[in-house]
CSV table of all heavy atoms in Angstrom, one decimal:
chain,number,residue,atom,x,y,z
A,1,ILE,N,-10.0,36.7,1.7
A,1,ILE,CA,-11.3,36.4,2.4
A,1,ILE,C,-11.1,35.6,3.6
A,1,ILE,O,-10.1,34.9,3.7
A,1,ILE,CB,-12.3,35.7,1.4
A,1,ILE,CG1,-11.8,34.3,1.0
A,1,ILE,CG2,-12.7,36.5,0.2
A,1,ILE,CD1,-12.7,33.5,0.3
A,2,LEU,N,-12.0,35.8,4.5
A,2,LEU,CA,-11.8,35.1,5.8
A,2,LEU,C,-12.5,33.8,5.7
A,2,LEU,O,-13.4,33.6,4.8
A,2,LEU,CB,-12.5,35.9,6.9
A,2,LEU,CG,-11.9,37.2,7.2
A,2,LEU,CD1,-12.7,38.1,8.3
A,2,LEU,CD2,-10.5,37.1,7.7
A,3,MET,N,-12.1,32.8,6.5
A,3,MET,CA,-12.8,31.5,6.5
A,3,MET,C,-14.3,31.6,6.9
A,3,MET,O,-15.1,30.8,6.5
A,3,MET,CB,-12.1,30.5,7.5
A,3,MET,CG,-10.7,30.2,7.0
A,3,MET,SD,-10.6,29.3,5.4
A,3,MET,CE,-11.5,27.8,5.8
A,4,SER,N,-14.7,32.6,7.5
A,4,SER,CA,-16.1,32.8,8.0
A,4,SER,C,-16.9,33.6,6.8
A,4,SER,O,-18.1,33.7,6.9
A,4,SER,CB,-16.1,33.7,9.2
A,4,SER,OG,-15.5,34.9,9.0
A,5,ASP,N,-16.3,33.9,5.7
A,5,ASP,CA,-16.9,34.5,4.6
A,5,ASP,C,-18.0,33.5,4.0
A,5,ASP,O,-17.7,32.4,3.9
A,5,ASP,CB,-15.9,34.9,3.5
A,5,ASP,CG,-16.4,35.7,2.5
A,5,ASP,OD1,-17.5,35.3,1.8
A,5,ASP,OD2,-16.0,36.9,2.3
A,6,PRO,N,-19.2,34.0,3.7
A,6,PRO,CA,-20.2,33.2,3.1
A,6,PRO,C,-19.7,32.5,1.8
A,6,PRO,O,-20.2,31.4,1.5
A,6,PRO,CB,-21.3,34.1,2.8
A,6,PRO,CG,-21.1,35.2,3.7
A,6,PRO,CD,-19.7,35.3,4.0
A,7,LEU,N,-18.8,33.1,1.1
A,7,LEU,CA,-18.3,32.4,-0.1
A,7,LEU,C,-17.6,31.1,0.2
A,7,LEU,O,-17.8,30.2,-0.6
A,7,LEU,CB,-17.4,33.4,-0.8
A,7,LEU,CG,-16.6,32.9,-2.1
A,7,LEU,CD1,-17.7,32.7,-3.2
A,7,LEU,CD2,-15.5,33.9,-2.5
A,8,VAL,N,-16.9,31.0,1.3
A,8,VAL,CA,-16.3,29.8,1.8
A,8,VAL,C,-17.3,28.7,2.0
A,8,VAL,O,-17.2,27.6,1.6
A,8,VAL,CB,-15.3,30.1,2.9
A,8,VAL,CG1,-14.8,28.7,3.4
A,8,VAL,CG2,-14.2,31.1,2.6
A,9,PHE,N,-18.4,29.2,2.7
A,9,PHE,CA,-19.4,28.2,3.1
A,9,PHE,C,-20.2,27.7,1.9
A,9,PHE,O,-20.9,26.6,2.0
A,9,PHE,CB,-20.3,28.8,4.2
A,9,PHE,CG,-19.7,28.9,5.6
A,9,PHE,CD1,-19.2,30.1,6.0
A,9,PHE,CD2,-19.5,27.7,6.3
A,9,PHE,CE1,-18.7,30.2,7.3
A,9,PHE,CE2,-18.9,27.8,7.5
A,9,PHE,CZ,-18.5,29.0,8.1
A,10,SER,N,-20.2,28.5,0.9
A,10,SER,CA,-21.0,28.1,-0.3
A,10,SER,C,-20.3,27.2,-1.2
A,10,SER,O,-20.9,26.6,-2.2
A,10,SER,CB,-21.4,29.4,-1.1
A,10,SER,OG,-20.3,30.1,-1.8
A,11,MET,N,-19.0,27.0,-1.0
A,11,MET,CA,-18.3,26.0,-1.9
A,11,MET,C,-18.7,24.6,-1.5
A,11,MET,O,-18.9,24.2,-0.5
A,11,MET,CB,-16.7,26.2,-1.6
A,11,MET,CG,-16.2,27.5,-2.0
A,11,MET,SD,-14.4,27.6,-1.6
A,11,MET,CE,-14.0,29.2,-2.2
A,12,ASN,N,-18.8,23.8,-2.6
A,12,ASN,CA,-19.0,22.3,-2.6
A,12,ASN,C,-17.8,21.7,-2.1
A,12,ASN,O,-16.8,21.9,-2.7
A,12,ASN,CB,-19.6,21.8,-3.8
A,12,ASN,CG,-20.9,22.2,-4.2
A,12,ASN,OD1,-21.7,22.5,-3.2
A,12,ASN,ND2,-21.3,22.4,-5.4
A,13,VAL,N,-17.9,20.9,-1.0
A,13,VAL,CA,-16.8,20.1,-0.6
A,13,VAL,C,-17.0,18.6,-0.8
A,13,VAL,O,-18.2,18.1,-0.5
A,13,VAL,CB,-16.5,20.3,1.0
A,13,VAL,CG1,-15.4,19.4,1.4
A,13,VAL,CG2,-16.2,21.8,1.2
A,14,HIS,N,-16.1,18.0,-1.6
A,14,HIS,CA,-16.3,16.6,-1.8
A,14,HIS,C,-15.5,15.8,-0.9
A,14,HIS,O,-14.2,16.0,-0.9
A,14,HIS,CB,-15.9,16.3,-3.3
A,14,HIS,CG,-16.7,17.1,-4.3
A,14,HIS,ND1,-18.0,16.8,-4.6
A,14,HIS,CD2,-16.4,18.2,-5.0
A,14,HIS,CE1,-18.4,17.7,-5.5
A,14,HIS,NE2,-17.5,18.6,-5.8
A,15,PRO,N,-16.1,14.9,-0.1
A,15,PRO,CA,-15.4,14.1,0.9
A,15,PRO,C,-14.4,13.3,0.1
A,15,PRO,O,-14.6,12.7,-0.9
A,15,PRO,CB,-16.5,13.2,1.5
A,15,PRO,CG,-17.7,13.8,1.1
A,15,PRO,CD,-17.5,14.6,-0.1
A,16,SER,N,-13.2,13.1,0.7
A,16,SER,CA,-12.2,12.2,0.2
A,16,SER,C,-12.5,10.8,0.5
A,16,SER,O,-13.0,10.5,1.7
A,16,SER,CB,-10.8,12.6,0.8
A,16,SER,OG,-9.9,11.6,0.5
A,17,GLN,N,-12.2,9.9,-0.4
A,17,GLN,CA,-12.4,8.5,-0.1
A,17,GLN,C,-11.1,7.8,0.2
A,17,GLN,O,-11.0,6.6,0.5
A,17,GLN,CB,-13.0,7.8,-1.4
A,17,GLN,CG,-14.3,8.2,-1.8
A,17,GLN,CD,-15.4,8.2,-0.7
A,17,GLN,OE1,-15.4,7.2,-0.1
A,17,GLN,NE2,-16.1,9.3,-0.5
A,18,GLU,N,-10.0,8.6,0.4
A,18,GLU,CA,-8.8,8.1,0.8
A,18,GLU,C,-8.8,7.6,2.3
A,18,GLU,O,-9.3,8.3,3.1
A,18,GLU,CB,-7.7,9.3,0.7
A,18,GLU,CG,-6.2,8.8,0.9
A,18,GLU,CD,-5.3,9.8,0.8
A,18,GLU,OE1,-5.6,11.1,0.5
A,18,GLU,OE2,-4.0,9.5,0.9
A,19,PRO,N,-8.3,6.4,2.5
A,19,PRO,CA,-8.4,6.0,3.9
A,19,PRO,C,-7.4,6.6,4.9
A,19,PRO,O,-6.3,7.2,4.5
A,19,PRO,CB,-7.9,4.5,3.7
A,19,PRO,CG,-7.0,4.4,2.5
A,19,PRO,CD,-7.6,5.5,1.6
A,20,PHE,N,-7.8,6.6,6.1
A,20,PHE,CA,-6.9,7.0,7.1
A,20,PHE,C,-6.0,5.8,7.7
A,20,PHE,O,-6.4,4.8,7.6
A,20,PHE,CB,-7.7,7.5,8.4
A,20,PHE,CG,-8.4,8.8,8.2
A,20,PHE,CD1,-9.6,9.0,7.6
A,20,PHE,CD2,-7.6,10.0,8.5
A,20,PHE,CE1,-10.2,10.3,7.5
A,20,PHE,CE2,-8.2,11.3,8.3
A,20,PHE,CZ,-9.4,11.4,7.8
A,21,VAL,N,-4.8,6.2,8.1
A,21,VAL,CA,-4.0,5.1,8.8
A,21,VAL,C,-3.5,5.8,10.1
A,21,VAL,O,-3.3,7.0,10.3
A,21,VAL,CB,-2.8,4.8,7.9
A,21,VAL,CG1,-3.2,4.1,6.6
A,21,VAL,CG2,-1.9,6.0,7.5
A,22,ASP,N,-3.1,4.9,11.0
A,22,ASP,CA,-2.7,5.3,12.3
A,22,ASP,C,-1.1,5.4,12.3
A,22,ASP,O,-0.4,4.4,12.0
A,22,ASP,CB,-3.0,4.3,13.4
A,22,ASP,CG,-2.7,4.7,14.7
A,22,ASP,OD1,-2.0,5.7,14.9
A,22,ASP,OD2,-3.2,4.0,15.7
A,23,LEU,N,-0.6,6.6,12.4
A,23,LEU,CA,0.8,6.8,12.3
A,23,LEU,C,1.6,6.0,13.4
A,23,LEU,O,2.7,5.7,13.2
A,23,LEU,CB,1.2,8.3,12.5
A,23,LEU,CG,1.1,9.1,11.3
A,23,LEU,CD1,1.4,10.6,11.6
A,23,LEU,CD2,2.0,8.7,10.1
A,24,VAL,N,1.0,5.8,14.5
A,24,VAL,CA,1.7,5.0,15.5
A,24,VAL,C,2.2,3.6,15.1
A,24,VAL,O,3.2,3.2,15.4
A,24,VAL,CB,0.7,4.8,16.8
A,24,VAL,CG1,1.3,3.8,17.8
A,24,VAL,CG2,0.4,6.1,17.4
């Protein structure tokens, strides 16, 4: 399936609570 497929858009995405760090 393509990323533009409605099936992809219908999936529930749960935001990650994992923090970001600056690689620098």
